[in-house]
Amino acid sequence: MKYRRLGGTGLKVSEISLGSWLTYGGYVERDNAVNAIETAYDLGVNFFDTANVYEKGAAEKVLGETLRNYSRESYVLATKVYGEMGSGPNDRGLSRKHITEQCHASLKRLGVEYVDIMYCHRFDPETPIEETLRALDDLVRQGKVYYVGVSEWTAAQMTDALAVADRYLLDHIVVNQPIYNMFNRYIEKEIIPLGERRGIGQVVFSPLAQGLLTGKYNTDIPEDSRAAKLDRLKDSITEEKIEKVRQLSGIATELNISVGNLALAWILRQPNVASALVGASRPQQVEENVKASGIELSEEILKQIEEILE
């Protein structure tokens, strides 16, 4: 496993990290979830991601209980705040009240004294950025959060937040978690250039386009797959995309790697990307995905990939 600095910080994270959306605490049986987490750790993954809203806290509990078997200093743990956690008017968003209460609730579910990263899961237009950043800055000063991040914020929103942090000497955003894969490249235009200028690393989710870039949908949709259970995912699987995956599979075969590893290595060609966040319902998927760490694609291969994607 290779490790990269997270943005402009000194924190080192594994190039492949393990997430828990749609998996731990609900979609995946507990034993498989635990085995996948343990396999990832044994293979050098030191970066684990979750959120309070994943199965209403159940994912945090599964992840926390499993990681309790390891030294807290040996892994990087991230969670998120913003989503709806109750029926009350203050049970969502990025107000000081919600951030503080949910941080404490997440720490309790995870069974830890601090999280390495607290993400603002989405942008909250109803809360002043200064209020959000001051609440997070307080948690950093208290030692309950080490680094501040955002997820799916626009470049303009992050720029505004950086300006507020500069003005009031508050803790800076150092990591962004956007979607990024061969079929969704919007961050290349503004997000990555901003990250490179201001020391914000990208930890990208859905790097395999919900499994489409593994090639498992090249012929049909398996009954035990996520697409079979989620209509909106099934609707995103088009014949045009499948044909591109078939062509990408030919390049992967020539390189003697899987098409999934080709897709992950393509993402990691970006120096500003600190880690590719994968999901896994079985340990075997973790074993396959971690092989992508360290794979370097030549300029000729990258050109061939670009021709297919265009």
Side-chain angles (χ1 to χ4, degrees):
M1 177 62 65
K2 302 289 185 179
Y3 302 88
R4 298 186 178 192
R5 287 176 58 206
L6 183 67
T9 77
L11 182 66
K12 302 285 183 63
V13 296
S14 49
E15 289 187 336
I16 304 298
S17 46
L18 185 65
S20 54
W21 178 66
L22 275 184
T23 50
Y24 310 143
Y27 175 73
V28 174
E29 292 181 359
R30 184 183 177 85
D31 286 349
N32 276 341
V34 170
N35 289 337
I37 296 166
E38 291 176 341
T39 298
Y41 186 92
D42 291 342
L43 292 173
V45 172
N46 77 336
F47 193 9
F48 298 88
D49 179 273
T50 187
N52 59 348
V53 292
Y54 297 166
E55 298 296 329
K56 291 295 192 228
E60 287 181 324
K61 289 180 180 178
V62 172
L63 184 59
E65 289 169 4
T66 306
L67 291 176
R68 217 161 294 166
N69 297 319
Y70 308 108
S71 165
R72 180 63 187 90
E73 294 77 16
S74 67
Y75 59 86
V76 177
L77 181 59
T79 192
K80 307 179 189 72
V81 61
Y82 168 82
E84 188 174 289
M85 292 298 288
S87 58
N90 292 306
D91 288 336
R92 63 169 294 166
L94 296 177
S95 67
R96 173 180 289 277
K97 177 178 174 62
H98 189 65
I99 288 174
T100 304
E101 290 174 350
Q102 286 305 308
C103 177
H104 292 155
S106 288
L107 293 177
K108 184 176 181 180
R109 285 189 292 264
L110 289 163
V112 295
E113 295 182 351
Y114 68 92
V115 290
D116 297 277
I117 299 168
M118 174 70 81
Y119 288 103
C120 297
H121 209 162
R122 292 294 185 270
F123 183 77
D124 182 2
E126 298 184 352
T127 303
I129 289 179
E130 182 184 344
E131 177 180 346
T132 296
L133 293 181
R134 284 192 181 278
L136 291 166
D137 186 76
D138 286 346
L139 293 171
V140 170
R141 292 174 185 273
Q142 294 165 16
K144 295 171 182 175
V145 172
Y146 283 0
Y147 299 95
V148 174
V150 298
S151 178
E152 288 287 270
W153 284 28
T154 66
Q157 289 163 348
M158 283 190 280
T159 298
D160 288 346
L162 290 169
V164 170
D166 285 341
R167 185 179 309 130
Y168 298 109
L169 302 180
L170 302 175
D171 210 66
H172 272 238
I173 295 167
V174 298
V175 56
N176 175 46
Q177 188 177 117
I179 188 171
Y180 184 51
N181 56 57
M182 288 177 165
F183 296 134
N184 193 331
R185 303 173 61 174
Y186 85 94
I187 67 171
E188 293 177 355
K189 184 176 181 180
E190 294 183 330
I191 301 294
I192 286 179
L194 174 64
E196 291 172 341
R197 291 195 307 270
R198 296 302 305 267
I200 301 174
Q202 314 301 321
V203 175
V204 304
F205 71 88
S206 197
L208 297 174
Q210 295 298 305
L212 179 57
L213 285 164
T214 65
K216 67 180 179 181
Y217 301 126
N218 280 7
T219 53
D220 56 17
I221 297 178
E223 292 183 2
D224 62 345
S225 67
R226 292 185 199 174
K229 298 176 174 63
L230 297 171
D231 288 338
R232 63 186 178 87
L233 176 54
K234 186 186 300 183
D235 293 341
S236 71
I237 301 174
T238 64
E239 183 57 40
E240 180 185 4
K241 289 179 180 178
I242 290 174
E243 177 55 33
K244 289 182 178 182
V245 175
R246 291 190 184 111
Q247 294 180 50
L248 292 166
S249 297
I251 295 177
T253 299
E254 291 178 6
L255 297 175
N256 199 28
I257 61 176
S258 68
V259 67
N261 283 337
L262 180 72
L264 290 170
W266 178 86
I267 283 172
L268 292 170
R269 83 197 189 287
Q270 295 276 8
N272 187 236
V273 171
S275 186
L277 184 61
V278 301
S281 56
R282 301 186 306 277
Q284 293 82 359
Q285 292 172 322
V286 177
E287 293 170 353
E288 176 60 29
N289 288 333
V290 298
K291 295 176 183 177
S293 178
I295 294 177
E296 295 185 9
L297 303 177
S298 68
E299 288 300 322
E300 178 59 30
I301 293 296
L302 291 174
K303 183 179 178 181
Q304 291 177 36
I305 291 172
E306 199 64 33
E307 290 173 353
I308 291 171
L309 296 180
E310 288 179 348

